[in-house]
Amino acid sequence: MSEKPLNFIEHIIEEDLRSGLSQDQLRFRFPPEPNGYLHIGHTKAICLNFNLGHRYKAPVNLRFDDTNPAKEESQFVEAIKNDIEWLGFHWDKECYASDYFSQLFDWSKILINKGLAYVDSQTSEQISDQKGTPTLPGVPSPFRSRSVEENLMLFQEMKEGKHAEGSHVLRAKIDMASPNMLLRDPVMYRILFKSHHRTGEEWCIYPMYDWTHGESDYIEKISHSLCSLEFKPHRELYDWFLESLFPKEHFRPKQREFARLNLSYTVMSKRKLKNLIDQGHVTGWDDPRMPTISGLRKRGYTPESLQNFVNTAGVAKRDNLIDVSLLEFCVRDHLNKIAPRVMAVLDAVKLTIKNYPEGQTEFLNAENNPEDENSGCRDLPFSGSLYIEREDFKEEANRKFFRLSLGKEVRLKNAYIIKGEDVIKDAQGNITEIICSYDPMSRSGSGTEESQRKVKGTLHWVSIEHAKPITVNLYDRLFSVEEPDKNKDEDPTQFINPDSHSEAKGYIEPSVVSAKEGTQFQFQRLGYFILDSKSEGGTLVFNKTVGLRDTWKKS
């Protein structure tokens, strides 16, 4: 079998190796900002960098871009580390941009001494107004010609907390007429009197992303700094800072961009995800409807399914929208291989087999997972009083209804063939009990001629005497339109799917009672579910991961 073709990032690395970069100079990094939880889009960047590290036997750093104390918290740092480890990856060094604050400050003074940076005392509004447009050059700041001595003095005073927030910024002196507006004297530092999650009150000036990122890569000796496509215009600035500081340095990090992962029926912006939480549309970052890794984990997605999804979607040069059904297919495909099968009924109606011996219980042999020959079998209790799904019975049905109806035969899975005989109803006309008869010679696997008899319908069931109560959270897509965030100026919450969460009370076979939280199951004929928790009263709580097939487009 031929090897999987190289993606364009791998082609870049291969060319660099042919051009003189040595194997031991390869180093990659994943640099999240700890201002929220990681989502499925970050999974692509995680897999790309760590898989490159594995392919080339190169170290991969985890670096937290913690330069904005107003939004960053230690809880997000821990959540990010947990998510990466859960995905199955291990980093070489745990780094923080805040580790480099002193070095970045010293390097900033070098740029000031070179006449390549200056302190601007205008307001942010004035600076923005003077930036110009893509077709009109910007207007130089009146403070652009400040002397080196005055800039150094003011910058030191900014560091010492002698100036108010918004009174000064440090800007790079590049080109106010550049067609790339990011090069029109970008801000390098701003004053923020905020406590930092690691440095506390030590600093009151904080570096901007563009100034921090390339220099952090340089410090860590990163060979390939891989970013999503929106950072492509930033590459010129990335290179300018490195060239200005290290003009004679032969080895410098190289920034290259790839298309971010855009998923249908999903919002990826951390700011908008936070709004969903703040407005009460979801219960938190780990709500199973959220595209966060922690939410997907709670819903029952596996690390293998997320990695397979990312690898299947591939690494592209252009943004495109990936259908969420591909993600659902990947988790369905993996759970089919590993999830034990169990019987559960979510909308129960009583079924009584009138000719089954009263008080008798027998234990049927049931496969745990027919896809896994090593999964073994379990004893499944069967009696004359069962629960079945209410939708699996109709008093009268046409020829296309292959489930139970009066006068019609179906097979109870792993058990017997039964025939609908009668119903019992309450005063409102609702069916409260279905009366059936059974063929005692038709038991599955018994080897009798009757056990081989074919009927069109097969139903799942639970013995009432042995059934355990469960609560099931049924989840669907959080948004009802394919691109809820297509118009960036619109509020995507207007497209919230009102049926994205519902709750059902049901019953399950007793074999799951000893299962640990986080265990995944296939509820036969219903879908895949994960055991979320056990209530104080002993009721098991399950979250629905995905159905047995994609029914969204059909519905």
Side-chain angles (χ1 to χ4, degrees):
M1 183 180 292
S2 60
E3 287 190 15
K4 183 180 178 182
L6 300 181
N7 60 51
F8 81 96
I9 295 290
E10 291 166 336
H11 277 296
I12 290 172
I13 295 170
E14 292 290 332
E15 179 59 34
D16 289 339
L17 290 172
R18 286 191 294 269
S19 300
L21 186 69
S22 65
Q23 182 83 22
D24 60 7
Q25 286 180 301
L26 289 177
R27 181 179 284 271
F28 306 98
R29 89 289 172 268
F30 174 61
E33 182 181 0
N35 63 346
Y37 281 49
L38 298 181
H39 54 62
I40 184 69
H42 294 109
T43 306
K44 179 175 182 177
I46 294 169
C47 290
L48 174 60
N49 282 285
F50 282 95
N51 286 339
L52 285 171
H54 177 74
R55 178 185 180 91
Y56 293 101
K57 297 180 175 57
V60 183
N61 286 357
L62 170 60
R63 181 173 73 239
F64 291 97
D65 176 30
D66 56 344
T67 61
N68 186 357
K71 295 183 178 180
E72 296 155 2
E73 300 178 24
S74 296
Q75 64 154 318
F76 297 137
V77 170
E78 294 307 312
I80 288 169
K81 292 196 291 185
N82 290 338
D83 286 345
I84 296 172
E85 289 178 329
W86 177 77
L87 283 170
F89 297 114
H90 304 282
W91 52 91
D92 180 55
K93 294 180 180 178
E94 182 178 321
C95 308
Y96 296 81
S98 54
D99 291 338
Y100 314 135
F101 280 174
S102 293
Q103 181 65 80
L104 291 169
F105 179 77
D106 291 341
W107 280 342
S108 299
K109 291 192 289 185
I110 291 176
L111 293 184
I112 292 173
N113 277 306
K114 287 185 173 184
L116 297 177
Y118 64 97
V119 174
D120 195 339
S121 302
Q122 298 182 101
T123 64
S124 58
E125 291 79 9
Q126 289 172 321
I127 292 173
S128 178
D129 291 342
Q130 292 170 357
K131 277 292 185 78
T133 69
T135 56
L136 292 174
V139 177
S141 165
F143 301 100
R144 200 171 193 262
S145 58
R146 265 181 169 147
S147 69
V148 168
E149 292 73 23
E150 185 179 5
N151 283 319
L152 288 172
M153 178 191 70
L154 286 171
F155 189 47
Q156 181 65 34
E157 289 178 351
M158 289 166 60
K159 178 182 180 294
E160 294 172 357
K162 295 181 178 179
H163 298 280
E165 287 188 12
S167 58
H168 304 291
V169 294
L170 183 70
R171 297 176 69 180
K173 188 187 292 187
I174 307 179
D175 183 1
M176 290 300 291
S178 173
N180 184 345
M181 293 187 65
L182 292 172
L183 269 66
R184 296 184 183 181
D185 291 10
V187 173
M188 296 172 60
Y189 275 91
R190 75 284 204 202
I191 301 170
L192 279 177
F193 288 99
K194 305 287 185 185
S195 180
H196 190 275
H197 72 103
R198 293 184 75 242
T199 62
E201 314 295 331
E202 181 181 353
W203 292 87
C204 60
I205 57 171
Y206 291 94
M208 303 297 287
Y209 170 85
D210 283 314
W211 166 235
T212 308
H213 195 68
E215 280 49 55
S216 298
D217 287 341
Y218 177 84
I219 291 170
E220 296 173 21
K221 300 188 183 305
I222 302 301
S223 60
H224 295 81
S225 181
L226 306 177
C227 308
S228 49
L229 275 180
E230 64 262 35
F231 290 99
K232 189 170 184 177
H234 296 247
R235 190 202 296 182
E236 192 174 358
L237 180 54
Y238 181 99
D239 291 339
W240 184 90
F241 278 128
L242 290 172
E243 173 67 26
S244 299
L245 278 174
F246 316 111
K248 298 180 180 180
E249 188 81 31
H250 173 68
F251 175 83
R252 291 203 296 263
K254 174 185 288 188
Q255 176 181 308
R256 291 297 181 265
E257 306 82 20
F258 60 92
R260 65 185 297 174
L261 195 155
N262 297 305
L263 197 62
S264 64
Y265 299 96
T266 307
V267 167
M268 294 293 195
S269 162
K270 277 195 281 189
R271 177 179 61 83
K272 293 181 179 179
L273 292 177
K274 186 176 184 301
N275 286 342
L276 292 174
I277 299 169
D278 294 342
Q279 295 172 20
H281 297 292
V282 294
T283 56
W285 287 102
D286 65 346
D287 187 298
R289 294 167 292 174
M290 290 279 271
T292 56
I293 294 174
S294 58
L296 292 168
R297 178 168 62 244
K298 191 171 183 179
R299 186 160 173 170
Y301 279 70
T302 61
E304 294 85 351
S305 64
L306 295 186
Q307 288 193 47
N308 187 35
F309 165 67
V310 168
N311 293 335
T312 303
V315 181
K317 293 183 179 181
R318 296 182 180 178
D319 283 328
N320 60 341
L321 186 68
I322 305 297
D323 196 322
V324 71
S325 63
L326 176 61
L327 174 61
E328 294 167 345
F329 167 82
C330 289
V331 70
R332 191 182 292 118
D333 181 64
H334 186 235
L335 290 177
N336 181 53
K337 298 171 185 174
I338 68 167
R341 278 52 168 164
V342 295
M343 299 276 208
V345 174
L346 301 188
D347 184 14
V349 62
K350 183 178 180 181
L351 182 146
T352 299
I353 304 174
K354 64 181 184 180
N355 60 329
Y356 192 82
E358 186 176 353
Q360 176 175 301
T361 294
E362 59 183 309
F363 290 90
L364 309 177
N365 187 255
E367 282 186 288
N368 287 326
N369 186 343
E371 300 295 322
D372 180 2
E373 61 182 16
N374 297 316
S375 64
C377 298
R378 69 193 186 282
D379 288 332
L380 189 63
F382 182 86
S383 66
S385 295
L386 310 173
Y387 287 128
I388 67 168
E389 295 286 349
R390 187 172 295 276
E391 67 173 18
D392 281 344
F393 175 79
K394 287 184 178 180
E395 283 188 83
E396 298 179 2
N398 59 34
R399 290 181 301 172
K400 294 184 178 180
F401 185 75
F402 299 126
R403 288 169 273 184
L404 183 62
S405 59
L406 295 182
K408 184 177 179 180
E409 288 185 325
V410 296
R411 177 173 290 282
L412 296 175
K413 189 165 181 64
N414 296 112
Y416 299 94
I417 293 174
I418 60 171
K419 181 179 180 180
E421 303 284 359
D422 201 358
V423 295
I424 298 174
K425 299 181 179 180
D426 62 17
Q428 287 73 43
N430 300 310
I431 296 173
T432 58
E433 187 175 350
I434 304 163
I435 308 299
C436 292
S437 60
Y438 89 117
D439 180 349
M441 300 300 294
S442 64
R443 175 172 164 172
S444 295
S446 63
T448 66
E449 184 176 342
E450 281 297 293
S451 70
Q452 305 299 317
R453 187 155 60 90
K454 302 295 183 184
V455 291
K456 288 188 175 181
T458 300
L459 307 185
H460 63 282
W461 51 271
V462 178
S463 170
I464 291 177
E465 180 184 351
H466 307 89
K468 303 300 179 183
I470 59 173
T471 298
V472 179
N473 292 304
L474 301 171
Y475 293 109
D476 206 339
R477 299 175 186 180
L478 184 57
F479 295 96
S480 58
V481 298
E482 190 174 47
E483 296 184 73
D485 205 20
K486 185 175 183 179
N487 187 334
K488 302 302 179 183
D489 297 327
E490 284 186 335
D491 181 2
T493 59
Q494 64 182 302
F495 304 118
I496 289 285
N497 174 15
D499 300 319
S500 65
H501 174 240
S502 60
E503 187 177 280
K505 301 289 186 181
Y507 300 93
I508 200 165
E509 65 175 77
S511 67
V512 303
V513 170
S514 60
K516 296 180 180 179
E517 294 179 17
T519 303
Q520 290 139 319
F521 297 95
Q522 183 196 100
F523 289 5
Q524 294 191 295
R525 298 181 65 236
L526 296 177
Y528 295 97
F529 298 77
I530 184 170
L531 179 56
D532 183 69
S533 63
K534 298 181 181 181
S535 70
E536 292 181 1
T539 299
L540 305 174
V541 180
F542 289 88
N543 295 333
K544 183 177 182 180
T545 305
V546 69
L548 293 178
R549 58 190 61 86
D550 185 0
T551 59
W552 178 267
K553 290 183 178 179
K554 183 178 178 180
S555 65

